[in-house]
Amino acid sequence: MNETSRVVEGQPGDDYRDRIAKADLTRIRPYGDTMDDGKVQLSFTLPVPDGPEAVEAARQLAAKMGLAEASIVHHEGTGEGFTFFVAYGKCLHTVDYAHIQVPKVTSEVMDFYEINHYIQDRIGRKVVILGACTGTDAHTVGIDAIMNMKGYNGEYGLERYPEVDAHNLGSQVENEELVRKIIEYKADAVLVSQVVTQKDVHIKNLGALVDLLEAQGLRENLILVAGGPRITHELALELGYDAGFGPGTLAPDVASYVVQELVRRGLAK
Amino acid sequence: MNETSRVVEGQPGDDYRDRIAKADLTRIRPYGDTMDDGKVQLSFTLPVPDGPEAVEAARQLAAKMGLAEASIVHHEGTGEGFTFFVAYGKCLHTVDYAHIQVPKVTSEVMDFYEINHYIQDRIGRKVVILGACTGTDAHTVGIDAIMNMKGYNGEYGLERYPEVDAHNLGSQVENEELVRKIIEYKADAVLVSQVVTQKDVHIKNLGALVDLLEAQGLRENLILVAGGPRITHELALELGYDAGFGPGTLAPDVASYVVQELVRRGLAK
Amino acid sequence: MKSKLNLDPQMVERARAAAATIADNVTDFISQRTTESVERTVLRLFGVDGIDADGVPLPNVVVDAVHEAGLLAGGVTRPFMSALIATGLSVQELAEAVADGTVDISSIALAPEADIRAKARELAAVGMDRIRQNRSTRDAYLDRLDGGQAPLLYVIVATGNIYEDVVQARAAARQGADIIAVIRSTGQSLLDYVPYGPTTEGFGGTYATQENFRIMREALDEVGEELGRYIRLCNYCSGLCMPEIASMGALERLDVMLNDALYGILFRDINPQRTLVDQAFSRMINAYAGVIINTGEDNYLTTADAVEAAHTVLASQFINEQFALRVGLPEEQMGLGHAFEMNPMIEDGFLMELAQAQMAREIFPRAPLKYMPPTKHMTGNIFRGHIQDALFNMVGIMTGQGIQLLGMMTEQIHTPLMQDRHLALENAKYIFNNARHIAEEIEFAPEGRIVQRAHAVLAESVELLERIVETGFFEALAKGVFADVKRTIDGGKGLHGVLLRSDDYFNPFEIALREELGLGPVKVGVRG
Amino acid sequence: MKSKLNLDPQMVERARAAAATIADNVTDFISQRTTESVERTVLRLFGVDGIDADGVPLPNVVVDAVHEAGLLAGGVTRPFMSALIATGLSVQELAEAVADGTVDISSIALAPEADIRAKARELAAVGMDRIRQNRSTRDAYLDRLDGGQAPLLYVIVATGNIYEDVVQARAAARQGADIIAVIRSTGQSLLDYVPYGPTTEGFGGTYATQENFRIMREALDEVGEELGRYIRLCNYCSGLCMPEIASMGALERLDVMLNDALYGILFRDINPQRTLVDQAFSRMINAYAGVIINTGEDNYLTTADAVEAAHTVLASQFINEQFALRVGLPEEQMGLGHAFEMNPMIEDGFLMELAQAQMAREIFPRAPLKYMPPTKHMTGNIFRGHIQDALFNMVGIMTGQGIQLLGMMTEQIHTPLMQDRHLALENAKYIFNNARHIAEEIEFAPEGRIVQRAHAVLAESVELLERIVETGFFEALAKGVFADVKRTIDGGKGLHGVLLRSDDYFNPFEIALREELGLGPVKVGVRG
Ligand code: B12
Ligand code: B12
Ligand SMILES: Cc1ncc(COP(=O)(O)O)c(C=O)c1O
Ligand SMILES: Cc1ncc(COP(=O)(O)O)c(C=O)c1O
């Protein structure tokens, strides 16, 4: 035998759990295969033809994004003077996860029966909820999932709730029309769905509704909820809504929030 | 008819070519579907469990990388307290493409016949070229593609060149061994292949060869070429090589360079 | 082609017969009506174009004027020809004069019928000619250049800006796209006019305007020439201006048009009468222009469940086929729609998708079936999405689809970025090439899941079609048989634009088209 | 299972007969030899473990000492037992004493043969017992927990650090992995000893050490219990320490081992004699331990072209099968290897891959075939790579493979990141579930491309095997029939460690294993 090094780095029988690297939660980084290696995958297109300069430009861009050892693993001209890139690199930025505070819908999620009981016990009358997909948006599947009888993913929609008076106004409902319906139905809560987000049309449209409601003095006594695949609770709050719901929402999530909020705000009269 | 706006934004018959947005090459940004929109796709894993705080951490990370309107479009716990994310955002960084200078192999690429003629005409003797995959690296396919008779992608390898005396030393060749062979064969050029790059073993290994050659006074009269999937000409220069070749290289690319460089450096005697 | 599914020809026959009855009944209904958009189309085919000082398109201006004059039920042609004769203006001059008020069309007396007919025939010949010309230009291109092989690679551009669309479309062509579809801005289908000029501000798509058509056509011809390939152009012939867009497409040599008999009714809440009348005329134009239509059955599966509602797709294909045949659109131009929209988490879902696609292939053997990708079950997980699209492509090549509308991995996120389209094309090219002849190689176990699934879906759709015949088509729509959507005969948008034809209704293009398409004159009252 | 390829049973028979002849001849050759690593294995099975002051593993220390004493040709057991008897030390104490020089094994006289045999039998029983115990522990787990369904999802971890590997492996298990393979550090296969202890510094993989085996086993049992699934553990039983690693795996309850009769010869330039002797003993251990072996035919296609060299894969599978049968490894434990390695740009490549995979399935119906993903033709384009892997998965489920080694989209770039593995698992789970019963549903056109391709490959491999029989196996290796690689009988690494057995060669584990495996005693000289 000629080799000398035999590779021993710890003691057999050590508890492996003690030796697994832990993340520093005040400075987390992406994880590839080793704690803190920072590995990130990127892809993008640049408006320059493929070639060594294009690759260098891609590398520089990744570097500016804070990636060390950025490696352009794929580059391919896509015609018309554009090039597509795939890159990997080690992100030098860290995030303080330990101190993140995310605004969350804090109400407790109840089920179908609990919600109806809650309404009977704490509100004592039917709760009127309108739903609509507004502006030029015609994507009804999301709001239907919340409102319609048959519901979604095995959960009934609000129309099925005996203690809820639910009205689904459908799609392409203009804000002015929606306000008219709020008055007509004396709505307790309004659920607004926005799916198309190109050029931020949802932001404009959602904002316009708040302005309209405020102008008419309706905002205060109304629970205003937004939802859609690109809606977060945070965004909804920023836009002047009471709550926002994203992908995967089910009727009980919204209904639980609405009824508890009605009681909390003293609107359950 | 109730609508008033009729959408006219230009004149029919305008030449569309004049209206297509041009990139400012001193400040290029990624292109999604509109010039300068900065669109970038990212994916990474963070060492935190899935949840709203994790999503916010991912968003913050993307923001630190310079992405505006970063949107976490997918997040999924992968177990053991890790979460995988996919994000899109608009990169605010720009790159000055117009002034990028990339070192390039400048020799003109000749074909099989031209190279052999060039050697006959300008060098007048056989050129000795060694090839090896060095260190612990056993990936021979790349160097074989360059060296072997049958070649690669329809291009003959150097062994087929009548005016080249090619020796493929195979894989896992130690640097010391390679230096011995360089002396033994009186090599004009050496082609070193490195494929495994984990923990930068290729950098160490390529660097060590240069040190060894310099220590023995062999470096100056030798054309030293590196190659492999993660090798760039730039990296090779940094490591003290004369040239570097990456993915897709064919024998004529290397041979053209070697013979012209021999003549240029006055080693063609 | 040997059947792999052993479908019962009698069942197919029953389905077709039921659909034929439905179409016959409705055709009779259609023949008695015209619409504002049909009349605007007539003007466009005569050559009216442009907008007035307020930006209102001149076809709208003239038709509105004729309507106000109470003359539209007889068709816009008679008063318009009379005014031409009376004023001696050219078609465009007259339209402009009506717009700026210098000519009051209501005050011009009708010319003698023979003069009107002569003038109309003469002028219609110009429009008909241009369409015929475009058709032979296309044929010449296809003779000379590579027209692609089925499944054709169809991708969308949707930047909202025609000048960005052009860049994206040309890049896509270079990457191998056979068909470029310019998606329309949200909401255009509900506009009762066609926007004008080159446009740069759309949402989720770009306005369909004649100038945008022209620009894209020019750009694609140019790049196609360079590539040695003919790149087909597609747009949306649907909504309140369905026939007008057909005419624009025919005039600008579009090759493919989304054009469904029911889509507007179900998905845009357009009045059923309006849609049915409009689709008939638009399809005649498409037929004559050699345009392949794409029907919209895929849309059913965005609201209904793809496993449960599979038979509604097939039923609707039968109905679309029969409507198309009634107006002379040959099978070779019927891009009947269907889609790969089952929940990807279903065990053996791939087998059911195979069954559905193969079934469509066998039942409509000559149609260039348009196969739509997964959309509803695409998520923000672009990596899985890319594989959903790969399985879709695999089914496409395994079952010999005609037009493959390529899925994008970012379907759930945004309208396609340039790189999304690039990767979608790469996905399809790889799979189509790597499994090129698989349809010839694969057979299905005779009593297996795939075969049984196809039989079951066919049986259900026969049942549905026969039920519709029994109920009556309009009543069936009102009951929500398709896509869980209920539409009544007098509901929805655009009913105001539907008119009962007067006895002397005159539409020279309808006459010319019916003649060219071998349809014989309109007959009313045979049924219904 | 009905044949879909209509392979000629006579051709299969001819191939098997030729492979049997090859294996018989070589078996005779093997039976006359032992190696240093075989003897170190014997010590490990007796219970020798640990390292000396210089870090040299004690099995090496003792075997080297016996070798120096000129006694190794008779097996390490006789001198070792004699020393045990003479010193009264325990197995481990004796090894340590040899290492620190307190016992000089060469100076101890041999004990009476009967005493040696008795002691050896007694001590061997302990090791044999532990292996048997591990096997029943595994069986009990598999009774109680879900063992997964074929194709089993096999993923690799390769961080170089066992403690990172554990995290990655447990996460993979949670995501649905059935088998976790810990890839070895580059270069370990050429070490003539097995590293010791938990290790955190490997390149492109993690050292195979017994402690690393133990750690990973514990971590997987724990997570498996939580998930209600038994997670199988795999490592590499190849290189200069092939049988030692088999013993370590048997002692630590590994479930799967890469273990090929030819791989070391062809791909690591290990001496053919060394490899063939080592593989025989290692496979006996694997057989007894209930370990599924994975053979390495896939590697041929990384140097040779997958279309042209397809028949070498099949030929090698036949040879591996026969070598395995010779040492009692049942078909159910033969994870014969093959791979999806054709250039993705080939027209109809998918059909040829289907043919190859289906052929393997039909020829080795009971073997849990190990199917390897695309590697050579993976590029930095991770998006296309993900689809190449999807097609690979599709072939896996269409042809009923046993073990699917999942491809990673970053194959060309780096050893797998956690997210790469996550996406690879998602890819396979989606496709396997969505096309779960497709193998039952799909048949191939009887005279089609797929069937013809399989027939052609089978014919070529019959020809190759018969040529090897004619040429002689060692001569064929020297001529480079496999993977374009030429290896001579006296070339390569590790020949110095091969010894001709003396007439009184004694190996109690060989005896016990042969007995347990129903092989009967070693017979030499029958052939060759
Ligand atoms: C189905 C669909 C259609 C159908 C809609 C049918 C219908 N009646 O709804 C049809 C075919 C008609 C259609 C048309 C168009 N579509 Co579309 N469509 C989709 C698709 C495929 C699925 C949407 C869906 O049904 N999701 C399923 C539901 C259940 O999910 P969800 O909406 O997220 O809802 C859930 C939550 O978000 C939440 N939620 C939603 N709303 C609300 C409201 C409240 C108050 C609460 C509490 C919760 C909540 O709860 C729901 C259940 O969990 C998406 C792509 C995709 N995969 O997402 C594109 C998509 C939304 N469409 C798009 C576009 C651009 C269009 C068009 C504009 C295209 C065109 N130019 O023609 C048109 C125009 C339509 C219009 N005017 O709005 C884009 C939007 C891009 C963007 N981000 O801006 C998408 C993303 C596709 C794409 N990549 O281009 N579409
Ligand atoms: C084939 C292969 C193997 C084969 C090698 C067979 C052989 N005889 O070469 C086998 C199976 C043995 C193998 C083993 C291992 N491999 Co390997 N292998 C690959 C694989 C799949 C393909 C490499 C290849 O052949 N490419 C084709 C050739 C033609 O391309 P190329 O090398 O880039 O060469 C071209 C250019 O780069 C250039 N070029 C290359 N060299 C030179 C030199 C000069 C001078 C010039 C001018 C040009 C030039 O020209 C060539 C032609 O255009 C890659 C993954 C991949 N898809 O790339 C992994 C890969 C390279 N292997 C890898 C690893 C980790 C290993 C192992 C360490 C795994 C293990 N622990 O067991 C072992 C160890 C081997 C060792 N000691 O080096 C990793 C490396 C990770 C990294 N970046 O560090 C990869 C990327 C796979 C992965 N994702 O984990 N491997
Ligand atoms: C047949 C058909 N027409 C039209 C459209 C689009 O219509 P709109 O422009 O109304 O959104 C679709 C949907 O993609 C369709 O399938
Ligand atoms: C059968 C077999 N053994 C061993 C290995 C790995 O060997 P090494 O550890 O020598 O790299 C492989 C390659 O993956 C293999 O296929």
Side-chain angles (χ1 to χ4, degrees), chain C residues 184-185 188-189 236-239 258-260 263 268 294-296 298-299 370 372:
Chain C
R184 284 203 309 207
S185 177
Q188 180 173 358
S189 49
Y236 287 69
C237 183
S238 68
L258 280 269
N259 184 239
D260 191 285
Y263 173 86
R268 288 291 171 269
N294 285 345
T295 63
D298 44 282
N299 294 286
K370 175 200 71 163
M372 294 284 292

Side-chain angles (χ1 to χ4, degrees), chain D residues 206-255:
Chain D
T206 307
Y207 287 100
T209 73
Q210 192 164 345
E211 178 63 6
N212 287 348
F213 286 8
R214 193 194 62 71
I215 290 172
M216 191 56 91
R217 180 71 277 166
E218 183 181 340
L220 293 182
D221 282 349
E222 197 179 75
V223 74
E225 195 69 61
E226 196 185 320
L227 298 167
R229 291 167 38 221
Y230 182 66
I231 312 298
R232 292 181 175 82
L233 178 56
C234 172
N235 211 294
Y236 286 68
C237 184
S238 68
L240 289 170
C241 298
M242 195 190 271
E244 286 183 87
I245 294 188
S247 70
M248 288 159 42
L251 297 173
E252 300 299 341
R253 190 168 29 89
L254 269 70
D255 308 285

Side-chain angles (χ1 to χ4, degrees), chain C residues 377-421:
Chain C
H377 294 286
M378 294 291 281
T379 68
N381 184 349
I382 55 174
F383 296 100
R384 193 185 77 197
H386 207 41
I387 300 177
Q388 292 171 237
D389 288 335
L391 293 205
F392 160 68
N393 288 331
M394 187 51 92
V395 172
I397 190 77
M398 280 175 98
T399 59
Q401 299 300 312
I403 295 173
Q404 189 90 355
L405 199 147
L406 302 191
M408 306 276 160
M409 61 183 186
T410 52
E411 168 64 32
Q412 198 256 353
I413 305 163
H414 47 231
T415 48
L417 307 186
M418 183 178 270
Q419 67 196 50
D420 301 335
R421 199 178 298 103

Side-chain angles (χ1 to χ4, degrees), chain C residues 45-46 120-131 251 509:
Chain C
L45 289 171
F46 277 133
R121 200 174 312 115
E122 176 205 323
L123 287 174
V126 181
M128 291 292 284
D129 239 45
R130 177 149 165 207
I131 298 175
L251 296 172
F509 288 99

Side-chain angles (χ1 to χ4, degrees), chain B residues 1 3-14 16-17 19-20 31-35 41 73-74 86 88, chain C residues 51 55-57 60 64 159 163-164 167-168 170 193 196 198-201 211 218-219 222 380-381 410 418:
Chain B
M1 298 202 20
E3 302 84 355
T4 49
S5 144
R6 293 291 171 269
V7 189
V8 206
E9 301 173 21
Q11 282 312 308
D14 287 358
Y16 74 87
R17 293 165 197 81
R19 304 231 14 213
I20 288 177
Y31 176 97
D33 70 357
T34 301
M35 187 56 76
Q41 174 270 328
V73 296
H74 178 67
V86 178
Y88 280 83
Chain C
I51 48 178
V56 181
N60 290 62
D64 287 356
T159 68
Y163 301 112
E164 295 283 358
V167 174
Q168 308 251 337
R170 289 175 57 112
Y193 62 88
Y196 179 76
T199 74
T200 58
E201 274 294 339
E211 178 64 7
E218 182 181 340
E222 196 179 75
N381 184 349
T410 52
M418 183 178 270

